[in-house]
Amino acid sequence: MNAQPKIERHPSTCPHDCPSACSLQVEVIDGKTIGRVHGDPAQSYTAGVICAKVARYAERIHHPDRLLHPLIRKGPKGSGEFQRISWDEALAMTAERFLEAEKRYGSETVWPYYYAGTMGFVQRDGINRLRHAKNYSGFFSTICVNMAWSGFIAGTGRLAGVDPREMAKSDVVVIWGTNPVSTQVNVMTHAMKARKERGAKIVVIDLYRTDTLKQADLGLVVRPGTDGALACAVMHVLFRDGFADREYLRDFTDVPEELESHLQSRDPAWAAAITGLTVEEIEAFAKLVGENKRTYLRLGYGFGRQRNGAVNMHAASCIAAVTGSWKVEGGGAFHNNGAIYHWRKSLIEGLDIRNPRIRMLDQSRIGPILVGEPDALRRPDGSDGPPVTALLIQNTNPVNVAPEQAKVVRGFAREDLFTVVHEQFMTDTAKMADLVLPATQFMEHDDMYQGGGHQHIMLGLKLVEPPGECRSNHDLICDLARRLGAEHEGFAMNEREIIDWTLQNSGWGTFDELATGNFRDVQPSFEEAHYLKGFAYGDKRFKFKPDWPKVPFANIGPLGPWKDMPGLPDHWAVTEEPDAEHPFKLATSPARSFLNSTFVETPSSKKREGRPEVMINPADAARLAIADGAKVELGNVRGTVILHAKLTEQTRAGTLVAEGIWPNDAHEGGRGINTLTSADAVAPFGGAAFHDNKAWIRPL
Ligand SMILES: Nc1nc2c(c(=O)[nH]1)N[C@H]1C(S)=C(S)[C@@H](COP(=O)(O)OP(=O)(O)OC[C@H]3O[C@@H](n4cnc5c(=O)[nH]c(N)nc54)[C@H](O)[C@@H]3O)O[C@H]1N2
Ligand SMILES: Nc1nc2c(c(=O)[nH]1)N[C@H]1C(S)=C(S)[C@@H](COP(=O)(O)OP(=O)(O)OC[C@H]3O[C@@H](n4cnc5c(=O)[nH]c(N)nc54)[C@H](O)[C@@H]3O)O[C@H]1N2
Ligand code: SF4
Ligand SMILES: [Mo]
């Protein structure tokens, strides 16, 4: 008889690019196989709940399509024809080609390109140590957070807010521009607790009827890019009806009188015409906020992904300063807690050896950069920079997720570009590489994490041996550094040593202390989180009127049309508006069972998501003779994409929503959804307006 399998439970942390950063309990069977993955009930934000896709992680870690060996391209670029080689050959070739490229064009011709496929500090950010040691081109990260973060910081001066667990003590929870049922499930845990225990009202604001919005007491479906107008009208009503906290405004904000007079003309009728909401809906929302001091604004990323996204995020955050709800438990606003951790990352990132004169290249503009558009390659002093002729890519899939995909694909196809992709799967990006190197997954290496949507520092340690010849990012970077002659003490340390140094130098204890419980709650005091002693600007005041280029977010200077930004909260009409040729607005919102381009390979996610679809209101579809399930083409100035129509009242007339970033070849014709999105830099610090596209649609 076979012995019973031995199942152990080990703590870990979800490494994926998600504000929830859940604490996990992982079943390990016989020391080598992953079983069910559970939320850790002991971590008070995770509270035992995780999303379905990570609960079934066994499907991903033991997937038959995982990359197991280094591969070298055999056929033409993008043909998918590869042949196995050894790690030693692959890294020797990488070093040789990088050194050659450097000799020919200077060090800035090499561009290490990475993102948050893992949020682990060592595995994600260690690539920067190599970049600084070698003076390779810098990576200015813009694809995700820039509009939302700068918009939030514009008011408060700091990326931090009220403890998200306090949502459970609120009377009104406003879930704005995020779809947590899909994208960060734990928000719902705490919001629903408030409803259950206190009868709290839930307000959800989105551009379509999401699964989150369906659960709301008040669901507001706005025209894309009009949240600034909604926020202004809400504040107009708050001033008009005596809900503004005048004492708070006097003591804690910059220009309350100027704001009040500016808002006089921004009444609900004005906002109704812009947002597509009714005056009654806007009045009802404002009344709820005005009558309930314990109103918690949970502001998401999604409504930042518009060309006016930073302005809209700032406008929404201003509401809590008008009512003074920041003062009370369960009141105030929250977006992300990035600022509470005060990390010292010089060992991980090699910040001590950084040369500030090296150019920074904009992550979102990888298409324009690779096709050689001169403005995209420029140095900070305005001089022309060299072309990018070598790429090292970890934890990201730009050929699929970056905007202006036609340019991205054209750039990756360049014969004079040498591309190394370190991956877990044969992604759209890996398919375009010269070398594909197999990477470990999070349960196969050590790392440390922080919660964006909460307040914990967490560990995820190696639980099982990696399959095949998979190597961790850290391992690869250190080996390559040696071959390239790059020097830094971090290249000679292991993950645990780097974590220990970073914790100690940031004031968070030691590795061993953190390993005891696997996570540490670092929630700042009530006083600090509620800004009771003032906001994080020099004058301690919340800024209704931010000086946009000086918002303390990025130090590379403003980007996009920042000079035209309104001083006070407003509707800033710079979104890509429909016209006669492109009568629709298209948003590319997240799919529940994918995480960006991750999980597109797991059977249960594939099954749930079905096929690439675009949601269209039945009235619009009838006018265009588009039947439910019909094959359709979407297009705009940037290209065309083929998918299937889903007729649904979930979308407003005039708005189209294509959920998820499907692999490019899941679409007939091989062009993915980002063929339609734009790489225009968004004000004030860059970013991609993924949900802000004009488009046409036609049946095929
Ligand atoms: N299942 C799943 N989870 C994910 C991801 C995923 O792809 N799938 N992605 C992860 C990543 S990288 C991130 S950054 C987070 C992001 O998570 P969120 O903060 O939720 O942000 P988004 O996913 O960009 O968009 C959220 C919602 O904003 C809506 N929206 C877009 N434009 C507007 C607008 O102008 N006004 C309003 N009111 N709403 C608008 C979209 O329709 C969408 O429903 O989620 C993470 N979690
Ligand atoms: N149309 C549209 N496009 C979007 C968005 C949208 O809403 N709509 N959202 C945007 C946003 S918010 C973001 S953040 C970006 C994200 O886009 P990406 O940064 O590309 O994120 P993922 O799709 O999660 O891809 C991460 C990749 O990293 C790999 N990976 C994971 N862990 C490791 C590791 O430890 N080592 C190595 N070497 N590889 C690893 C995974 O296998 C996966 O292929 O997409 C953006 N693109
Ligand atoms: S909700 Fe987000 S952090 Fe939590 S398990 Fe799912 S993907 Fe990971
Ligand atoms: Mo993101």
Side-chain angles (χ1 to χ4, degrees), residues 407-426:
K407 284 186 191 169
V408 181
V409 172
R410 205 150 37 89
F412 269 87
R414 269 171 42 204
E415 280 303 331
D416 65 331
L417 175 71
F418 177 69
T419 304
V420 180
V421 175
H422 188 201
E423 248 303 343
Q424 298 163 347
F425 289 94
M426 188 57 83

Side-chain angles (χ1 to χ4, degrees), residues 17-19 53 144 176-180 182-184 205-208 210 222-227 300-303 305-306 587 589-596 691:
D17 189 358
C18 173
K53 56 195 180 298
C144 180
W176 200 329
T178 172
N179 179 11
S182 291
T183 62
Q184 40 176 332
I205 308 166
D206 206 295
L207 53 73
Y208 73 119
T210 61
V222 296
R223 287 202 188 108
T226 63
D227 303 82
Y301 286 96
F303 72 134
R305 305 193 204 290
Q306 302 279 338
S589 309
R592 164 102 67 110
S593 312
F594 299 157
L595 200 148
N596 305 316
H691 305 320

Side-chain angles (χ1 to χ4, degrees), residues 623-638:
R623 212 160 18 82
L624 296 166
I626 293 171
D628 193 29
K631 195 198 289 181
V632 292
E633 189 172 43
L634 286 181
N636 62 21
V637 285
R638 294 173 286 271

Side-chain angles (χ1 to χ4, degrees), residues 593-610:
S593 312
F594 299 157
L595 200 148
N596 305 316
S597 72
T598 309
F599 295 95
V600 294
E601 64 283 327
T602 55
S604 58
S605 291
K606 281 210 292 220
K607 184 161 173 235
R608 187 177 187 281
E609 296 300 333

Side-chain angles (χ1 to χ4, degrees), residues 427-493:
T427 60
D428 286 314
T429 306
K431 282 181 197 156
M432 298 297 293
D434 296 284
L435 285 177
V436 178
L437 307 174
T440 44
Q441 292 192 5
F442 77 105
M443 298 175 197
E444 299 157 357
H445 59 231
D446 294 331
D447 219 330
M448 173 169 72
Y449 306 84
Q450 76 177 44
H454 55 95
Q455 61 292 90
H456 291 81
I457 297 168
M458 301 154 292
L459 283 177
L461 300 181
K462 179 173 171 176
L463 302 179
V464 292
E465 285 303 319
E469 295 179 273
C470 292
R471 288 172 69 175
S472 74
N473 291 7
H474 178 66
D475 197 8
L476 180 150
I477 293 296
C478 296
D479 193 334
L480 200 52
R482 196 169 46 76
R483 293 169 193 257
L484 289 163
E487 288 178 12
H488 191 275
E489 58 184 317
F491 296 129
M493 295 167 77

